[in-house]
Amino acid sequence: MRHFLTLRDFSKDEILEIISLAVKIKKEAKSGEFKPYLKDKVLGMIFEKSSTRTRVSFEVGIHQLGGKGLFLSTDDIQLGRGEPLKDTARVLSRMVDMVMIRTFGQERLEEFAKYSTVPLISGLSDTYHPMQLLADYMTICEHGKNKDLIVAYVGDGNNIANSWLMLASKIGFELRISTPKGYEPNQDVLKNAYEFAKKSGAKILMCQKPQEAVKNADVVTTDTWVSMGQESEKKRRVKDFEGFMVDDTIMALAQKDAMFLHCLPAYRGYEVSDEVFEAHEKEIFDEAENRLHAQKAVMVWLDKQRKN
Ligand code: CP
Ligand code: NVA
């Protein structure tokens, strides 16, 4: 049985296999064909943080696959009143077929997985957001940008930046990251990425200035400067991130037809200007839609691993 907690645990071939499956499932759905790959299966969805895309895409996704999703907010279940995670894992394992959790520390996912007898999927933690990156890479492939790919990530070295490091180092493309001092990605993740890059041929570059990172990039991407759980740091962060907004002058340094991606929600006037956002709204919302298709593929893939 496999879990989906970070792309660190997946090979390049497995990532590409899941993306191919997502493309196939998307094509079927677009032609009105919703195959019941997970007929009568139930997905438990525990949310310890807010969500729009992750919640809707998992709930719609499992429904379209012939199963059912259970939305379990920690405000409503006993976990929120102190029932141990390991007990929650063992109870849910007896009743549902798969679990998705959006939480704080990555170690919470690992603890749940240790006690779970059904596959567990990360819907984001403080360290990673692997589902997002599958959708992002799927979108890059659909837009025909995956050959000799250069991605520039400008902004906070957060869960999204860490996940880009995992994706790039597994797939083998060039990733340039530019963050303000003190906001670099997780050092362990970076170390892992450099290690994986040796095998895949990925180029991982840390750039002092956003302008350096975006030069001739095929894809420019960013994320909020204030992630969930960091709300009290907003004032300081906004000051520290001065000069890191992706605006027209930054985009002008990238390839002429460069894509701009954002996992959303986006905060215009902070990490991205309204002009850049609206000029690239087609690919941004393709990216958002692909969460649905990529997640359906992950659920089908994990279910297949259980049977093998
Ligand atoms: N990108 C993303 O995960 O969005 P939500 O927080 O709305 O789920
Ligand atoms: N870095 C953001 C991503 C939201 C999808 C957060 O963790 O809040």
Side-chain angles (χ1 to χ4, degrees), residues 136-206:
D136 291 8
Y137 194 60
M138 180 179 173
T139 312
I140 289 171
C141 294
E142 279 180 346
H143 284 254
K145 296 269 183 205
N146 46 317
K147 209 172 159 286
D148 301 323
L149 174 65
I150 301 176
V151 175
Y153 179 96
V154 174
D156 189 16
N158 61 13
N159 44 9
I160 296 291
N162 293 337
S163 305
W164 273 107
L165 280 166
M166 283 300 108
L167 180 78
S169 63
K170 289 287 179 151
I171 298 289
F173 59 81
E174 181 166 336
L175 174 66
R176 305 179 192 149
I177 296 186
S178 182
T179 72
K181 265 207 174 61
Y183 293 94
E184 293 83 7
N186 181 301
Q187 290 306 301
D188 291 334
V189 175
L190 254 176
K191 245 199 270 167
N192 274 323
Y194 287 130
E195 205 47 51
F196 297 144
K198 283 186 202 157
K199 186 178 165 205
S200 68
K203 230 168 132 183
I204 308 287
L205 302 170
M206 301 302 289

Side-chain angles (χ1 to χ4, degrees), residues 49 53-54 102 124-126 129 132 153 156 158-160 223-224 226-230 263-265 291:
K49 289 176 175 171
R53 280 143 290 270
T54 305
R102 168 166 283 198
L124 175 149
S125 75
D126 291 344
H129 195 1
Q132 182 65 53
Y153 179 96
D156 189 16
N158 61 13
N159 44 9
I160 296 291
D223 182 25
T224 180
V226 187
S227 284
M228 289 180 276
Q230 299 173 333
C263 65
L264 305 177
R291 291 291 305 277

Side-chain angles (χ1 to χ4, degrees), residues 16-300:
L16 296 180
E17 186 189 336
I18 295 171
I19 289 179
S20 301
L21 183 59
V23 170
K24 177 175 168 254
I25 288 176
K26 179 173 182 175
K27 210 167 147 203
E28 286 167 3
K30 292 286 175 193
S31 59
E33 197 183 6
F34 294 95
K35 292 193 183 161
Y37 293 106
L38 296 182
K39 190 171 169 359
D40 297 332
K41 297 276 164 89
V42 178
L43 172 75
M45 308 184 297
I46 300 178
F47 281 89
E48 298 192 312
K49 289 176 175 171
S50 312
S51 169
T52 299
R53 280 143 290 270
T54 305
R55 177 182 174 178
V56 175
S57 51
F58 269 110
E59 201 160 326
V60 170
I62 186 73
H63 172 78
Q64 290 180 349
L65 292 168
K68 182 179 168 56
L70 287 182
F71 174 67
L72 306 166
S73 154
T74 36
D75 292 338
D76 304 322
I77 61 173
Q78 299 288 9
L79 181 66
R81 297 183 64 249
E83 182 166 18
L85 195 60
K86 59 185 181 183
D87 294 355
T88 309
R90 285 176 284 190
V91 171
L92 288 193
S93 290
R94 302 286 183 111
M95 298 179 186
V96 306
D97 303 286
M98 225 173 262
V99 177
M100 189 252 33
I101 306 185
R102 168 166 283 198
T103 188
F104 293 87
Q106 182 75 9
E107 69 283 353
R108 286 180 72 69
L109 285 163
E110 280 155 17
E111 190 190 348
F112 193 103
K114 189 170 153 202
Y115 289 92
S116 176
T117 55
V118 299
L120 176 65
I121 302 171
S122 167
L124 175 149
S125 75
D126 291 344
T127 314
Y128 293 116
H129 195 1
M131 275 312 329
Q132 182 65 53
L133 270 290
L134 277 191
D136 291 8
Y137 194 60
M138 180 179 173
T139 312
I140 289 171
C141 294
E142 279 180 346
H143 284 254
K145 296 269 183 205
N146 46 317
K147 209 172 159 286
D148 301 323
L149 174 65
I150 301 176
V151 175
Y153 179 96
V154 174
D156 189 16
N158 61 13
N159 44 9
I160 296 291
N162 293 337
S163 305
W164 273 107
L165 280 166
M166 283 300 108
L167 180 78
S169 63
K170 289 287 179 151
I171 298 289
F173 59 81
E174 181 166 336
L175 174 66
R176 305 179 192 149
I177 296 186
S178 182
T179 72
K181 265 207 174 61
Y183 293 94
E184 293 83 7
N186 181 301
Q187 290 306 301
D188 291 334
V189 175
L190 254 176
K191 245 199 270 167
N192 274 323
Y194 287 130
E195 205 47 51
F196 297 144
K198 283 186 202 157
K199 186 178 165 205
S200 68
K203 230 168 132 183
I204 308 287
L205 302 170
M206 301 302 289
C207 306
Q208 275 190 350
K209 290 203 161 79
Q211 288 81 354
E212 252 177 81
V214 297
K215 198 159 178 264
N216 297 326
D218 302 294
V219 176
V220 178
T221 186
T222 184
D223 182 25
T224 180
W225 295 340
V226 187
S227 284
M228 289 180 276
Q230 299 173 333
E231 290 75 8
S232 64
E233 301 170 23
K234 181 170 176 185
K235 220 170 135 195
R236 175 167 57 82
R237 285 177 162 264
V238 169
K239 201 166 148 263
D240 292 348
F241 280 84
E242 213 188 298
F244 280 78
M245 184 199 295
V246 178
D247 58 12
D248 285 334
T249 54
I250 295 266
M251 282 307 288
L253 300 170
Q255 293 283 350
K256 236 174 116 194
D257 60 347
M259 293 172 80
F260 173 78
L261 294 178
H262 195 307
C263 65
L264 305 177
Y267 300 90
R268 285 127 158 128
Y270 293 93
E271 76 273 12
V272 60
S273 70
D274 188 50
E275 292 75 19
V276 168
F277 188 95
E278 292 305 333
H280 293 272
E281 62 92 28
K282 165 79 172 75
E283 58 244 37
I284 295 170
F285 292 104
D286 281 351
E287 177 190 9
E289 180 190 330
N290 282 339
R291 291 291 305 277
L292 170 66
H293 310 297
Q295 278 155 209
K296 286 167 76 177
V298 166
M299 289 189 277
V300 172

